[in-house]
Amino acid sequence: NADFQNIKLEKKENAVWFLTLNRPQALNALNSQTLNEIGDALRQLSEMDYDNAKVLVVTGSGEKAFVAGADIKEMSDLNADQAQAFAQKGQSVFHELNLLKIPVIAAVNGFALGGGCELALACDFIIASENAKFGLPEVSLGLIPGFGGTARLLGAVGLRKARELTFTGEMLSAAEAYRLGLVSAVVPQAELIPTVMKKVEMILVKSAVAVGLSKKSINEAYDLEVEKALSNEAEIFGSIFESVDSKEGMAAFLEKRKPTFIGK
Ligand code: CAA
């Protein structure tokens, strides 16, 4: 679609769609325009019947990053209200992935950090390349996860591991993510898309209605809790933009230096 600048939306054989995050110069970081484009793409897909859309694969362009997070440059200028709105925008776009009646597979080809990890977690399941890295480094910037990470990491790795990963901002290797059950498979980068396509083919021969309704049923079981958690997360995400540390954390990243946090 010619209207998209930061993503690509492509239809492959058998009604399989690829949505590729495509801002490699910023490691595919999510700014508002990119979130809007993802939202538009998902709206287009949601209007299609099963003859035209059976599976969606989400991936990143280049060999380095899936998505390195929300765009720190854009966030560094936001006040609390704007930051809360930014979190709500990301959350609502990612929620569309859950509402889409077709399965959504994340093909994670590199860094999936912050908003990128949250995007992968919002997909139905994840297949990763060996160089993939997962993490929620928001605390290193003086922030908290804002695109559903506090709610969805919990569902993926359990309460204690979610706390540990969120408080330390530590990055997980693909192998560790596999061990924790965050990802379904880890393969060499050249095998990533072929491996995803093998799973896709298993899905394509099933009843699209049955797959779609099983997705709906799983998500409804789970989302009731998540929805409550999301509005709370966005509110806290907004309020932290009033802290001195958040300004320092984002400025330090952009100035390529270590932050000095004062706990205020
Ligand atoms: N936002 C904006 N720009 C980003 C970015 C981001 N999240 N991540 C990387 N970039 C940019 C860098 O600024 C750099 O741009 P320049 O060439 O113009 O300087 C370019 O992408 C390449 O990145 P690096 O030079 O940093 O690459 P590296 O190989 O040295 O490091 C990395 C890779 C470890 C992923 C590092 O880029 C990094 O730490 N990125 C930020 C990760 C992060 O903190 N993500 C969380 C964001 S907060 C968030 O997502 C909030 C939320 O929940 C809503």
Side-chain angles (χ1 to χ4, degrees), residues 178-213:
Y178 176 75
R179 197 175 51 77
L180 289 169
L182 188 70
V183 308
S184 301
V186 179
V187 295
Q189 190 156 60
E191 295 297 313
L192 180 61
I193 298 303
T195 305
V196 169
M197 291 313 289
K198 275 188 211 147
K199 290 284 177 205
V200 168
E201 271 147 34
M202 291 177 74
I203 296 171
L204 290 178
V205 297
K206 307 299 189 294
S207 156
V209 185
V211 171
L213 288 178

PDB file of all heavy atoms in Angstrom, residues 178-213:
ATOM      1  N   TYR A 178      12.929 -18.930  24.965  1.00  0.00           N
ATOM      2  CA  TYR A 178      12.335 -20.236  24.635  1.00  0.00           C
ATOM      3  C   TYR A 178      12.133 -21.052  25.910  1.00  0.00           C
ATOM      4  O   TYR A 178      11.084 -21.645  26.147  1.00  0.00           O
ATOM      5  CB  TYR A 178      13.238 -20.986  23.651  1.00  0.00           C
ATOM      6  CG  TYR A 178      12.751 -22.370  23.331  1.00  0.00           C
ATOM      7  CD1 TYR A 178      11.653 -22.553  22.483  1.00  0.00           C
ATOM      8  CD2 TYR A 178      13.354 -23.503  23.887  1.00  0.00           C
ATOM      9  CE1 TYR A 178      11.178 -23.827  22.197  1.00  0.00           C
ATOM     10  CE2 TYR A 178      12.885 -24.770  23.607  1.00  0.00           C
ATOM     11  CZ  TYR A 178      11.792 -24.921  22.765  1.00  0.00           C
ATOM     12  OH  TYR A 178      11.322 -26.179  22.495  1.00  0.00           O
ATOM     13  N   ARG A 179      13.167 -21.055  26.749  1.00  0.00           N
ATOM     14  CA  ARG A 179      13.096 -21.836  27.989  1.00  0.00           C
ATOM     15  C   ARG A 179      11.952 -21.350  28.885  1.00  0.00           C
ATOM     16  O   ARG A 179      11.291 -22.130  29.557  1.00  0.00           O
ATOM     17  CB  ARG A 179      14.446 -21.729  28.717  1.00  0.00           C
ATOM     18  CG  ARG A 179      14.681 -22.773  29.788  1.00  0.00           C
ATOM     19  CD  ARG A 179      16.087 -22.667  30.373  1.00  0.00           C
ATOM     20  NE  ARG A 179      16.438 -21.323  30.805  1.00  0.00           N
ATOM     21  CZ  ARG A 179      16.002 -20.760  31.920  1.00  0.00           C
ATOM     22  NH1 ARG A 179      15.222 -21.429  32.743  1.00  0.00           N
ATOM     23  NH2 ARG A 179      16.360 -19.533  32.230  1.00  0.00           N
ATOM     24  N   LEU A 180      11.700 -20.041  28.862  1.00  0.00           N
ATOM     25  CA  LEU A 180      10.630 -19.483  29.698  1.00  0.00           C
ATOM     26  C   LEU A 180       9.237 -19.640  29.083  1.00  0.00           C
ATOM     27  O   LEU A 180       8.240 -19.268  29.691  1.00  0.00           O
ATOM     28  CB  LEU A 180      10.880 -17.987  29.925  1.00  0.00           C
ATOM     29  CG  LEU A 180      12.038 -17.635  30.841  1.00  0.00           C
ATOM     30  CD1 LEU A 180      12.332 -16.139  30.768  1.00  0.00           C
ATOM     31  CD2 LEU A 180      11.707 -18.040  32.274  1.00  0.00           C
ATOM     32  N   GLY A 181       9.199 -20.118  27.837  1.00  0.00           N
ATOM     33  CA  GLY A 181       7.901 -20.300  27.190  1.00  0.00           C
ATOM     34  C   GLY A 181       7.360 -19.053  26.512  1.00  0.00           C
ATOM     35  O   GLY A 181       6.221 -19.019  26.072  1.00  0.00           O
ATOM     36  N   LEU A 182       8.229 -18.033  26.416  1.00  0.00           N
ATOM     37  CA  LEU A 182       7.809 -16.797  25.742  1.00  0.00           C
ATOM     38  C   LEU A 182       7.722 -17.016  24.233  1.00  0.00           C
ATOM     39  O   LEU A 182       6.855 -16.466  23.557  1.00  0.00           O
ATOM     40  CB  LEU A 182       8.862 -15.722  26.061  1.00  0.00           C
ATOM     41  CG  LEU A 182       8.629 -14.294  25.667  1.00  0.00           C
ATOM     42  CD1 LEU A 182       7.520 -13.710  26.522  1.00  0.00           C
ATOM     43  CD2 LEU A 182       9.902 -13.481  25.889  1.00  0.00           C
ATOM     44  N   VAL A 183       8.649 -17.798  23.700  1.00  0.00           N
ATOM     45  CA  VAL A 183       8.647 -18.072  22.252  1.00  0.00           C
ATOM     46  C   VAL A 183       8.453 -19.566  22.006  1.00  0.00           C
ATOM     47  O   VAL A 183       8.847 -20.403  22.819  1.00  0.00           O
ATOM     48  CB  VAL A 183       9.935 -17.564  21.555  1.00  0.00           C
ATOM     49  CG1 VAL A 183      10.187 -16.112  21.880  1.00  0.00           C
ATOM     50  CG2 VAL A 183      11.147 -18.397  21.902  1.00  0.00           C
ATOM     51  N   SER A 184       7.848 -19.872  20.852  1.00  0.00           N
ATOM     52  CA  SER A 184       7.518 -21.262  20.507  1.00  0.00           C
ATOM     53  C   SER A 184       8.693 -22.009  19.906  1.00  0.00           C
ATOM     54  O   SER A 184       8.770 -23.232  20.013  1.00  0.00           O
ATOM     55  CB  SER A 184       6.386 -21.288  19.485  1.00  0.00           C
ATOM     56  OG  SER A 184       5.263 -20.657  20.000  1.00  0.00           O
ATOM     57  N   ALA A 185       9.579 -21.295  19.213  1.00  0.00           N
ATOM     58  CA  ALA A 185      10.717 -21.951  18.562  1.00  0.00           C
ATOM     59  C   ALA A 185      11.792 -20.915  18.308  1.00  0.00           C
ATOM     60  O   ALA A 185      11.491 -19.714  18.167  1.00  0.00           O
ATOM     61  CB  ALA A 185      10.285 -22.575  17.239  1.00  0.00           C
ATOM     62  N   VAL A 186      13.040 -21.378  18.276  1.00  0.00           N
ATOM     63  CA  VAL A 186      14.182 -20.512  17.944  1.00  0.00           C
ATOM     64  C   VAL A 186      14.946 -21.179  16.812  1.00  0.00           C
ATOM     65  O   VAL A 186      15.296 -22.356  16.916  1.00  0.00           O
ATOM     66  CB  VAL A 186      15.130 -20.348  19.157  1.00  0.00           C
ATOM     67  CG1 VAL A 186      16.315 -19.458  18.777  1.00  0.00           C
ATOM     68  CG2 VAL A 186      14.389 -19.757  20.347  1.00  0.00           C
ATOM     69  N   VAL A 187      15.198 -20.430  15.738  1.00  0.00           N
ATOM     70  CA  VAL A 187      15.862 -20.997  14.559  1.00  0.00           C
ATOM     71  C   VAL A 187      16.875 -19.992  14.012  1.00  0.00           C
ATOM     72  O   VAL A 187      16.780 -18.794  14.304  1.00  0.00           O
ATOM     73  CB  VAL A 187      14.819 -21.337  13.460  1.00  0.00           C
ATOM     74  CG1 VAL A 187      13.886 -22.446  13.921  1.00  0.00           C
ATOM     75  CG2 VAL A 187      14.018 -20.108  13.037  1.00  0.00           C
ATOM     76  N   PRO A 188      17.846 -20.458  13.220  1.00  0.00           N
ATOM     77  CA  PRO A 188      18.771 -19.509  12.596  1.00  0.00           C
ATOM     78  C   PRO A 188      17.980 -18.483  11.768  1.00  0.00           C
ATOM     79  O   PRO A 188      16.901 -18.806  11.264  1.00  0.00           O
ATOM     80  CB  PRO A 188      19.634 -20.386  11.681  1.00  0.00           C
ATOM     81  CG  PRO A 188      19.510 -21.763  12.249  1.00  0.00           C
ATOM     82  CD  PRO A 188      18.143 -21.842  12.857  1.00  0.00           C
ATOM     83  N   GLN A 189      18.533 -17.282  11.647  1.00  0.00           N
ATOM     84  CA  GLN A 189      17.766 -16.210  10.983  1.00  0.00           C
ATOM     85  C   GLN A 189      17.272 -16.605   9.588  1.00  0.00           C
ATOM     86  O   GLN A 189      16.137 -16.301   9.231  1.00  0.00           O
ATOM     87  CB  GLN A 189      18.599 -14.922  10.925  1.00  0.00           C
ATOM     88  CG  GLN A 189      17.741 -13.744  10.460  1.00  0.00           C
ATOM     89  CD  GLN A 189      18.258 -12.399  10.910  1.00  0.00           C
ATOM     90  OE1 GLN A 189      19.365 -12.014  10.585  1.00  0.00           O
ATOM     91  NE2 GLN A 189      17.464 -11.670  11.654  1.00  0.00           N
ATOM     92  N   ALA A 190      18.104 -17.321   8.826  1.00  0.00           N
ATOM     93  CA  ALA A 190      17.705 -17.705   7.462  1.00  0.00           C
ATOM     94  C   ALA A 190      16.505 -18.662   7.472  1.00  0.00           C
ATOM     95  O   ALA A 190      15.788 -18.776   6.478  1.00  0.00           O
ATOM     96  CB  ALA A 190      18.878 -18.355   6.737  1.00  0.00           C
ATOM     97  N   GLU A 191      16.307 -19.323   8.612  1.00  0.00           N
ATOM     98  CA  GLU A 191      15.205 -20.292   8.711  1.00  0.00           C
ATOM     99  C   GLU A 191      13.939 -19.676   9.296  1.00  0.00           C
ATOM    100  O   GLU A 191      12.927 -20.365   9.446  1.00  0.00           O
ATOM    101  CB  GLU A 191      15.614 -21.456   9.638  1.00  0.00           C
ATOM    102  CG  GLU A 191      16.762 -22.296   9.121  1.00  0.00           C
ATOM    103  CD  GLU A 191      16.372 -22.978   7.824  1.00  0.00           C
ATOM    104  OE1 GLU A 191      15.271 -23.555   7.786  1.00  0.00           O
ATOM    105  OE2 GLU A 191      17.143 -22.881   6.858  1.00  0.00           O
ATOM    106  N   LEU A 192      14.014 -18.403   9.692  1.00  0.00           N
ATOM    107  CA  LEU A 192      12.893 -17.823  10.447  1.00  0.00           C
ATOM    108  C   LEU A 192      11.589 -17.851   9.646  1.00  0.00           C
ATOM    109  O   LEU A 192      10.588 -18.403  10.102  1.00  0.00           O
ATOM    110  CB  LEU A 192      13.236 -16.388  10.895  1.00  0.00           C
ATOM    111  CG  LEU A 192      12.141 -15.666  11.689  1.00  0.00           C
ATOM    112  CD1 LEU A 192      11.817 -16.398  12.992  1.00  0.00           C
ATOM    113  CD2 LEU A 192      12.543 -14.225  11.994  1.00  0.00           C
ATOM    114  N   ILE A 193      11.599 -17.251   8.472  1.00  0.00           N
ATOM    115  CA  ILE A 193      10.351 -17.171   7.700  1.00  0.00           C
ATOM    116  C   ILE A 193       9.915 -18.573   7.231  1.00  0.00           C
ATOM    117  O   ILE A 193       8.731 -18.921   7.369  1.00  0.00           O
ATOM    118  CB  ILE A 193      10.466 -16.132   6.553  1.00  0.00           C
ATOM    119  CG1 ILE A 193      10.730 -14.729   7.150  1.00  0.00           C
ATOM    120  CG2 ILE A 193       9.201 -16.113   5.692  1.00  0.00           C
ATOM    121  CD1 ILE A 193       9.690 -14.227   8.171  1.00  0.00           C
ATOM    122  N   PRO A 194      10.852 -19.426   6.718  1.00  0.00           N
ATOM    123  CA  PRO A 194      10.428 -20.793   6.384  1.00  0.00           C
ATOM    124  C   PRO A 194       9.787 -21.535   7.567  1.00  0.00           C
ATOM    125  O   PRO A 194       8.795 -22.252   7.395  1.00  0.00           O
ATOM    126  CB  PRO A 194      11.730 -21.478   5.944  1.00  0.00           C
ATOM    127  CG  PRO A 194      12.595 -20.358   5.449  1.00  0.00           C
ATOM    128  CD  PRO A 194      12.228 -19.156   6.275  1.00  0.00           C
ATOM    129  N   THR A 195      10.315 -21.333   8.774  1.00  0.00           N
ATOM    130  CA  THR A 195       9.744 -22.008   9.952  1.00  0.00           C
ATOM    131  C   THR A 195       8.350 -21.467  10.260  1.00  0.00           C
ATOM    132  O   THR A 195       7.418 -22.225  10.558  1.00  0.00           O
ATOM    133  CB  THR A 195      10.663 -21.818  11.182  1.00  0.00           C
ATOM    134  OG1 THR A 195      11.961 -22.278  10.838  1.00  0.00           O
ATOM    135  CG2 THR A 195      10.148 -22.575  12.399  1.00  0.00           C
ATOM    136  N   VAL A 196       8.223 -20.137  10.168  1.00  0.00           N
ATOM    137  CA  VAL A 196       6.902 -19.524  10.383  1.00  0.00           C
ATOM    138  C   VAL A 196       5.921 -20.074   9.349  1.00  0.00           C
ATOM    139  O   VAL A 196       4.777 -20.437   9.674  1.00  0.00           O
ATOM    140  CB  VAL A 196       7.003 -17.983  10.291  1.00  0.00           C
ATOM    141  CG1 VAL A 196       5.629 -17.346  10.236  1.00  0.00           C
ATOM    142  CG2 VAL A 196       7.806 -17.431  11.464  1.00  0.00           C
ATOM    143  N   MET A 197       6.386 -20.186   8.090  1.00  0.00           N
ATOM    144  CA  MET A 197       5.479 -20.646   7.030  1.00  0.00           C
ATOM    145  C   MET A 197       5.040 -22.094   7.244  1.00  0.00           C
ATOM    146  O   MET A 197       3.933 -22.470   6.865  1.00  0.00           O
ATOM    147  CB  MET A 197       6.118 -20.458   5.642  1.00  0.00           C
ATOM    148  CG  MET A 197       6.261 -18.990   5.224  1.00  0.00           C
ATOM    149  SD  MET A 197       4.774 -17.981   5.483  1.00  0.00           S
ATOM    150  CE  MET A 197       3.714 -18.639   4.201  1.00  0.00           C
ATOM    151  N   LYS A 198       5.900 -22.903   7.880  1.00  0.00           N
ATOM    152  CA  LYS A 198       5.475 -24.287   8.190  1.00  0.00           C
ATOM    153  C   LYS A 198       4.305 -24.283   9.177  1.00  0.00           C
ATOM    154  O   LYS A 198       3.356 -25.046   9.026  1.00  0.00           O
ATOM    155  CB  LYS A 198       6.640 -25.091   8.780  1.00  0.00           C
ATOM    156  CG  LYS A 198       7.512 -25.691   7.700  1.00  0.00           C
ATOM    157  CD  LYS A 198       8.542 -26.627   8.305  1.00  0.00           C
ATOM    158  CE  LYS A 198       9.793 -26.595   7.430  1.00  0.00           C
ATOM    159  NZ  LYS A 198      11.029 -26.759   8.164  1.00  0.00           N
ATOM    160  N   LYS A 199       4.387 -23.430  10.173  1.00  0.00           N
ATOM    161  CA  LYS A 199       3.266 -23.309  11.129  1.00  0.00           C
ATOM    162  C   LYS A 199       2.035 -22.774  10.408  1.00  0.00           C
ATOM    163  O   LYS A 199       0.914 -23.223  10.636  1.00  0.00           O
ATOM    164  CB  LYS A 199       3.602 -22.338  12.272  1.00  0.00           C
ATOM    165  CG  LYS A 199       4.636 -22.827  13.227  1.00  0.00           C
ATOM    166  CD  LYS A 199       4.094 -23.862  14.187  1.00  0.00           C
ATOM    167  CE  LYS A 199       5.231 -24.355  15.070  1.00  0.00           C
ATOM    168  NZ  LYS A 199       5.012 -25.690  15.598  1.00  0.00           N
ATOM    169  N   VAL A 200       2.263 -21.771   9.540  1.00  0.00           N
ATOM    170  CA  VAL A 200       1.146 -21.171   8.805  1.00  0.00           C
ATOM    171  C   VAL A 200       0.438 -22.255   7.993  1.00  0.00           C
ATOM    172  O   VAL A 200      -0.794 -22.341   7.996  1.00  0.00           O
ATOM    173  CB  VAL A 200       1.656 -20.036   7.882  1.00  0.00           C
ATOM    174  CG1 VAL A 200       0.579 -19.606   6.899  1.00  0.00           C
ATOM    175  CG2 VAL A 200       2.134 -18.844   8.715  1.00  0.00           C
ATOM    176  N   GLU A 201       1.225 -23.113   7.327  1.00  0.00           N
ATOM    177  CA  GLU A 201       0.602 -24.161   6.506  1.00  0.00           C
ATOM    178  C   GLU A 201      -0.231 -25.126   7.345  1.00  0.00           C
ATOM    179  O   GLU A 201      -1.282 -25.590   6.898  1.00  0.00           O
ATOM    180  CB  GLU A 201       1.660 -24.897   5.687  1.00  0.00           C
ATOM    181  CG  GLU A 201       1.867 -24.194   4.351  1.00  0.00           C
ATOM    182  CD  GLU A 201       3.287 -24.262   3.828  1.00  0.00           C
ATOM    183  OE1 GLU A 201       3.949 -25.294   4.076  1.00  0.00           O
ATOM    184  OE2 GLU A 201       3.723 -23.276   3.203  1.00  0.00           O
ATOM    185  N   MET A 202       0.234 -25.397   8.549  1.00  0.00           N
ATOM    186  CA  MET A 202      -0.574 -26.266   9.428  1.00  0.00           C
ATOM    187  C   MET A 202      -1.903 -25.604   9.751  1.00  0.00           C
ATOM    188  O   MET A 202      -2.935 -26.266   9.843  1.00  0.00           O
ATOM    189  CB  MET A 202       0.177 -26.547  10.742  1.00  0.00           C
ATOM    190  CG  MET A 202       1.389 -27.428  10.554  1.00  0.00           C
ATOM    191  SD  MET A 202       2.283 -27.649  12.109  1.00  0.00           S
ATOM    192  CE  MET A 202       1.160 -28.773  12.945  1.00  0.00           C
ATOM    193  N   ILE A 203      -1.880 -24.289   9.910  1.00  0.00           N
ATOM    194  CA  ILE A 203      -3.115 -23.561  10.234  1.00  0.00           C
ATOM    195  C   ILE A 203      -4.033 -23.481   9.010  1.00  0.00           C
ATOM    196  O   ILE A 203      -5.247 -23.635   9.121  1.00  0.00           O
ATOM    197  CB  ILE A 203      -2.779 -22.143  10.767  1.00  0.00           C
ATOM    198  CG1 ILE A 203      -2.005 -22.249  12.087  1.00  0.00           C
ATOM    199  CG2 ILE A 203      -4.046 -21.307  10.949  1.00  0.00           C
ATOM    200  CD1 ILE A 203      -1.430 -20.935  12.607  1.00  0.00           C
ATOM    201  N   LEU A 204      -3.414 -23.269   7.833  1.00  0.00           N
ATOM    202  CA  LEU A 204      -4.219 -23.040   6.618  1.00  0.00           C
ATOM    203  C   LEU A 204      -5.116 -24.224   6.267  1.00  0.00           C
ATOM    204  O   LEU A 204      -6.169 -24.028   5.666  1.00  0.00           O
ATOM    205  CB  LEU A 204      -3.303 -22.724   5.418  1.00  0.00           C
ATOM    206  CG  LEU A 204      -2.592 -21.368   5.441  1.00  0.00           C
ATOM    207  CD1 LEU A 204      -1.692 -21.226   4.220  1.00  0.00           C
ATOM    208  CD2 LEU A 204      -3.579 -20.216   5.521  1.00  0.00           C
ATOM    209  N   VAL A 205      -4.705 -25.441   6.599  1.00  0.00           N
ATOM    210  CA  VAL A 205      -5.540 -26.601   6.246  1.00  0.00           C
ATOM    211  C   VAL A 205      -6.648 -26.849   7.268  1.00  0.00           C
ATOM    212  O   VAL A 205      -7.488 -27.722   7.077  1.00  0.00           O
ATOM    213  CB  VAL A 205      -4.702 -27.899   6.053  1.00  0.00           C
ATOM    214  CG1 VAL A 205      -3.743 -27.719   4.869  1.00  0.00           C
ATOM    215  CG2 VAL A 205      -3.937 -28.259   7.330  1.00  0.00           C
ATOM    216  N   LYS A 206      -6.644 -26.065   8.355  1.00  0.00           N
ATOM    217  CA  LYS A 206      -7.710 -26.209   9.346  1.00  0.00           C
ATOM    218  C   LYS A 206      -8.898 -25.320   8.950  1.00  0.00           C
ATOM    219  O   LYS A 206      -8.783 -24.475   8.064  1.00  0.00           O
ATOM    220  CB  LYS A 206      -7.213 -25.802  10.738  1.00  0.00           C
ATOM    221  CG  LYS A 206      -5.949 -26.510  11.186  1.00  0.00           C
ATOM    222  CD  LYS A 206      -6.129 -28.020  11.283  1.00  0.00           C
ATOM    223  CE  LYS A 206      -4.949 -28.715  11.928  1.00  0.00           C
ATOM    224  NZ  LYS A 206      -3.700 -28.653  11.155  1.00  0.00           N
ATOM    225  N   SER A 207      -9.986 -25.488   9.619  1.00  0.00           N
ATOM    226  CA  SER A 207     -11.139 -24.631   9.379  1.00  0.00           C
ATOM    227  C   SER A 207     -10.831 -23.218   9.886  1.00  0.00           C
ATOM    228  O   SER A 207     -10.541 -23.039  11.077  1.00  0.00           O
ATOM    229  CB  SER A 207     -12.358 -25.188  10.117  1.00  0.00           C
ATOM    230  OG  SER A 207     -13.268 -24.131  10.360  1.00  0.00           O
ATOM    231  N   ALA A 208     -10.901 -22.231   8.989  1.00  0.00           N
ATOM    232  CA  ALA A 208     -10.611 -20.850   9.400  1.00  0.00           C
ATOM    233  C   ALA A 208     -11.600 -20.382  10.460  1.00  0.00           C
ATOM    234  O   ALA A 208     -11.247 -19.621  11.368  1.00  0.00           O
ATOM    235  CB  ALA A 208     -10.642 -19.931   8.185  1.00  0.00           C
ATOM    236  N   VAL A 209     -12.849 -20.850  10.358  1.00  0.00           N
ATOM    237  CA  VAL A 209     -13.857 -20.457  11.349  1.00  0.00           C
ATOM    238  C   VAL A 209     -13.483 -21.019  12.717  1.00  0.00           C
ATOM    239  O   VAL A 209     -13.565 -20.318  13.741  1.00  0.00           O
ATOM    240  CB  VAL A 209     -15.263 -20.996  10.973  1.00  0.00           C
ATOM    241  CG1 VAL A 209     -16.313 -20.471  11.935  1.00  0.00           C
ATOM    242  CG2 VAL A 209     -15.605 -20.652   9.554  1.00  0.00           C
ATOM    243  N   ALA A 210     -13.053 -22.284  12.721  1.00  0.00           N
ATOM    244  CA  ALA A 210     -12.710 -22.912  14.003  1.00  0.00           C
ATOM    245  C   ALA A 210     -11.478 -22.251  14.617  1.00  0.00           C
ATOM    246  O   ALA A 210     -11.434 -21.983  15.821  1.00  0.00           O
ATOM    247  CB  ALA A 210     -12.465 -24.409  13.797  1.00  0.00           C
ATOM    248  N   VAL A 211     -10.482 -21.946  13.777  1.00  0.00           N
ATOM    249  CA  VAL A 211      -9.284 -21.272  14.287  1.00  0.00           C
ATOM    250  C   VAL A 211      -9.665 -19.893  14.829  1.00  0.00           C
ATOM    251  O   VAL A 211      -9.268 -19.507  15.933  1.00  0.00           O
ATOM    252  CB  VAL A 211      -8.205 -21.158  13.175  1.00  0.00           C
ATOM    253  CG1 VAL A 211      -7.053 -20.270  13.632  1.00  0.00           C
ATOM    254  CG2 VAL A 211      -7.700 -22.543  12.789  1.00  0.00           C
ATOM    255  N   GLY A 212     -10.480 -19.163  14.058  1.00  0.00           N
ATOM    256  CA  GLY A 212     -10.881 -17.805  14.457  1.00  0.00           C
ATOM    257  C   GLY A 212     -11.639 -17.798  15.771  1.00  0.00           C
ATOM    258  O   GLY A 212     -11.392 -16.968  16.653  1.00  0.00           O
ATOM    259  N   LEU A 213     -12.562 -18.754  15.914  1.00  0.00           N
ATOM    260  CA  LEU A 213     -13.360 -18.770  17.148  1.00  0.00           C
ATOM    261  C   LEU A 213     -12.556 -19.295  18.329  1.00  0.00           C
ATOM    262  O   LEU A 213     -12.786 -18.888  19.468  1.00  0.00           O
ATOM    263  CB  LEU A 213     -14.654 -19.567  16.941  1.00  0.00           C
ATOM    264  CG  LEU A 213     -15.698 -18.851  16.063  1.00  0.00           C
ATOM    265  CD1 LEU A 213     -16.921 -19.719  15.865  1.00  0.00           C
ATOM    266  CD2 LEU A 213     -16.104 -17.498  16.655  1.00  0.00           C
TER     267      LEU A 213
END
